[in-house]
Amino acid sequence: MTVEKLAPNTAAAGVPFYTPIKTAPAGTALDTGADVPTLFTPLRLRGMTLQNRFVVSPMCMYSTEDGHLTDWHLVHLGAFAVRGAALTIVGATAVTPNGRMSPEDGGLWKDSQIAPLKRVVDFVHSQGQKIGIQLAHAGRKASTLVPWHTTPTCPQVATAEAGGWPDNLWAPSAIAWDEGYPTPREMTVAQIEGVIQSFADAARRAVEAGVDTIEIYAGHGYLLSGFLSPITNQRTDAYGGSFTNRTRLLTSTILAIRAVIPPTMPLLLRISATEWMEHTGQPSWDLAQSQQLAALLPDLGVDLLDVTSGGNSPAQKIRADAYYQADLAGEIRAALWRDGEERLAIGAVGAIATAEMARSMVQAGGTWPAVNVNGEKGRNGEGRNGTVEVDAEEEHGTGAKADLVLVGRQFLREPEFVLKTAASLGVRVQAPVQYLGAPFKLGGAVNGGL
C-alpha cells in the first residue's frame, strides 16, 4: 500500500502570525466569461486590483481609546475580509482631536495610532484582501455622543464632562448644526492651512501602517462638506463665495494627500452629491456642482468618487426611493462619460441589501428591479431629518450606475453577504479555505467553490 504524502500547509507571507496562504482571495470568481456578472469581475484602480466590486463602506463603531483602534476593530473589520469583501474601509478617522465625531472615534493625528491600525491591516492582507481608511474632520458636527447614549428629544452634544469639546468646534462660518447645538468657531486661514497639513500627516501615517488606499471624507455636512455649501460657508475670503473658493479647501487637501502617498496608491473621495435643500429657493450644494467638481477630480489625482447625499442641514427634504443614492451616482457618471471622461470610477451607496440590487448597480445593460424602501435612516444624516418623499416604484432605467458598490448595514447583518450574493446569482467563488466544510447552495446543489 502506498501512502501519499501531502505537502505541508504554506503560511501567508508578510504577516506576523500563521494563516494558510490563499490561492485566491475569498470572493474571487472561479469561472470566467461573459456569464459572470460585472459584480464579480476585477476592477483596477491605479496599482490596486479588486477581485470583485464589493466594498465595505466606512462605518463608525465608537469603540476606540484616545483614537487608537482596538481588538474590536480587528474582529469587526477582519470578518468582512475573511468572507470575500475585496476592499474594507476603516470608518471615519479624525485628522485632529477636535475633528472626531465622538470622543470614541478613531484618529491618526499622532504616531502612536499607527501600530493598532497596522495590526488590522496585516490581518486583512493575510486574507489576500485590500484595506483602506477614510480620513475626516467632523467640523461643526463634532463632539457628539455615541448613538446608544442619545434620545430623539435630546441634543447629541458630548459635553466636556462626557469627554467632548463643544467649545472648540471648527467650521467655515459660525453657524450651529441645529437648535440646542453649540455654535462653532469660524476658522482662521491659519487653521484652514493647518487642517490641510493634518490631512497630509494622517495620510502619511496611513501609508506607514500599510493601507492600500485612502478616502477623503467630504460629505454629510462634516468640515470639508461644510465648506462646499453656500448655506454653511458664508465666508468672503479665498475660501468662500464662488465655486472655486468653496472647493478650495477640498482641492488643496486632495493635492496635499496626493503629494505624500505613493503614485500607485488610488485616492478615493466621498461627497454628498446634493444637500437636498433646493426646496428653500436659496443657493445650496447640488448635483450640478457635484458634476462640475467630478470633472476636476481626475487631474487632481482622485481615482474614485464615492457618491452619497444629504447630511448638511436638518431641514433637508430627501426624495428617498430605493435607488435615490445610486441615481445620483449614475447622473454624475453619465455626465463624465458624455464629456469623454472615463478616468474617474464611481461608487454607489444606499441601503444595498439584496444580491439583485447590488448586481443591477454595476451591470451594464441590466434592468433595475423595483425594491421597496426599508425606511432606514443614517447616522450621518442621509434621511434622518426633513420630509422624505417616497416613490418605490419609480422607473430607474437600465445600465450601470457605478463601478462598484459600497455596502454598510447589510454587512453588519450578514458578514457573508458577498458569498451569499454569489450563490444567489449562480456564481462559483472562492471561499475561505477554513470554511469549505460549510458550502452555500448554488442553484439547488452545493456550490463547489463555496
Side-chain angles (χ1 to χ4, degrees), residues 32-72:
T32 59
D35 291 339
V36 177
T38 304
L39 195 58
F40 286 96
T41 61
L43 177 67
R44 185 174 179 85
L45 300 171
R46 290 196 187 233
M48 181 180 75
T49 298
L50 307 178
Q51 80 275 17
N52 60 49
R53 309 299 181 95
F54 287 92
V55 178
V56 179
S57 192
M59 293 179 281
C60 293
M61 290 289 109
Y62 315 101
S63 299
T64 75
E65 184 176 1
D66 189 30
H68 299 77
L69 301 189
T70 69
D71 284 359
W72 165 263

Side-chain angles (χ1 to χ4, degrees), residues 148-162:
W148 54 87
H149 285 167
T150 64
T151 66
T153 59
C154 177
Q156 301 172 350
V157 180
T159 64
E161 292 75 17

Side-chain angles (χ1 to χ4, degrees), residues 205-365:
R205 294 185 181 102
V207 171
E208 186 173 341
V211 302
D212 300 289
T213 187
I214 289 170
E215 178 172 88
I216 301 170
Y217 198 0
H220 296 143
Y222 299 116
L223 185 66
L224 299 181
S225 175
F227 268 83
L228 297 178
S229 168
I231 294 176
T232 47
N233 183 349
Q234 299 181 5
R235 302 175 71 94
T236 57
D237 61 4
Y239 291 94
S242 68
F243 172 87
T244 299
N245 285 358
R246 284 183 285 110
T247 58
R248 190 180 306 278
L249 173 56
L250 175 56
T251 57
S252 298
T253 300
I254 292 169
L255 292 172
I257 291 177
R258 189 76 260 176
V260 299
I261 65 177
T264 56
M265 177 179 286
L267 182 60
L268 285 52
L269 171 66
R270 170 170 281 195
I271 65 167
S272 286
T274 175
E275 297 183 78
W276 299 107
M277 292 292 286
E278 292 86 351
H279 64 93
T280 66
Q282 301 299 313
S284 62
W285 184 263
D286 56 18
L287 178 60
Q289 291 172 88
S290 291
Q291 291 170 322
Q292 185 179 355
L293 174 64
L296 304 175
L297 297 178
D299 288 338
L300 293 171
V302 175
D303 302 286
L304 181 138
L305 182 62
D306 172 3
V307 181
T308 182
S309 68
N312 196 41
S313 173
Q316 64 189 11
K317 290 187 178 181
I318 296 177
R319 186 221 76 195
D321 59 66
Y323 291 100
Y324 79 98
Q325 304 276 43
D327 282 346
L328 294 168
E331 289 288 343
I332 293 174
R333 190 173 190 258
L336 290 168
W337 283 39
R338 283 194 299 268
D339 292 337
E341 177 58 79
E342 299 184 17
R343 291 177 294 169
L344 185 67
I346 300 295
V349 305
I352 300 168
T354 68
E356 186 56 32
M357 192 174 183
R359 185 208 64 83
S360 68
M361 290 187 179
V362 300
Q363 186 71 38

Side-chain angles (χ1 to χ4, degrees), residues 84-232:
L87 172 63
T88 299
I89 304 179
V90 180
T93 301
V95 300
T96 66
N98 77 337
R100 290 170 291 170
M101 299 175 195
S102 79
E104 294 79 21
D105 276 5
L108 266 183
W109 66 79
K110 56 185 176 182
D111 288 350
S112 62
Q113 293 159 340
I114 297 172
L117 172 60
K118 187 177 187 303
R119 185 164 181 246
V120 178
V121 169
D122 285 346
F123 180 82
V124 171
H125 284 167
S126 77
Q127 304 307 301
Q129 312 287 20
K130 306 300 182 185
I131 183 167
I133 191 167
Q134 185 186 70
L135 299 181
H137 191 295
R140 67 179 183 154
K141 295 175 75 174
S143 191
T144 57
L145 295 170
V146 298
W148 54 87
H149 285 167
T150 64
T151 66
T153 59
C154 177
Q156 301 172 350
V157 180
T159 64
E161 292 75 17
W165 50 97
D167 296 329
N168 190 30
L169 304 186
W170 291 354
S173 302
I175 302 172
W177 159 251
D178 199 2
E179 183 178 350
Y181 287 79
T183 299
R185 301 177 184 179
E186 180 173 309
M187 295 176 71
T188 66
V189 171
Q191 287 171 333
I192 292 172
E193 293 172 347
V195 162
I196 295 170
Q197 185 61 52
S198 294
F199 269 97
D201 291 342
R204 174 187 56 78
R205 294 185 181 102
V207 171
E208 186 173 341
V211 302
D212 300 289
T213 187
I214 289 170
E215 178 172 88
I216 301 170
Y217 198 0
H220 296 143
Y222 299 116
L223 185 66
L224 299 181
S225 175
F227 268 83
L228 297 178
S229 168
I231 294 176
T232 47

Side-chain angles (χ1 to χ4, degrees), residues 316-321 377 383-390:
Q316 64 189 11
K317 290 187 178 181
I318 296 177
R319 186 221 76 195
D321 59 66
K377 309 304 176 189
R384 288 181 58 234
N385 307 284
T387 301
V388 177
E389 302 172 3
V390 177

